[in-house]
Amino acid sequence: MVDLTSAQWRKSTRSGSNGGDCVEVADNLTGIVAVRDSKDPHGPILTFAPTAWASFVRRTRTSR
């Protein structure tokens, strides 16, 4: 299990201003990037390897 107690969550810049339907990202952790739904901060959290997250972000930026 991954220790997320030191996670510093920030709202994704891609979430926009859509009434609170936001994705939060914690990229300050060693070896992982954590992602959660801001409406459910105690709910499920997805974790990714930094390289996988960077690839996802890169692909979503170029897929417009």
Side-chain angles (χ1 to χ4, degrees):
M1 180 169 242
V2 178
D3 181 12
L4 298 173
T5 56
S6 62
Q8 295 174 0
W9 297 99
R10 64 177 173 79
K11 180 180 166 185
S12 169
T13 58
R14 295 288 183 207
S15 291
S17 57
N18 53 4
D21 297 336
C22 303
V23 172
E24 291 181 325
V25 178
D27 54 6
N28 67 303
L29 304 165
T30 303
I32 65 164
V33 176
V35 181
R36 70 181 181 184
D37 182 346
S38 66
K39 295 183 309 302
D40 189 11
H42 300 293
I45 295 172
L46 301 174
T47 58
F48 300 90
T51 53
W53 182 251
S55 178
F56 170 76
V57 171
R58 187 173 45 257
R59 288 176 180 250
T60 57
R61 285 183 180 161
T62 60
S63 297
R64 293 188 207 177

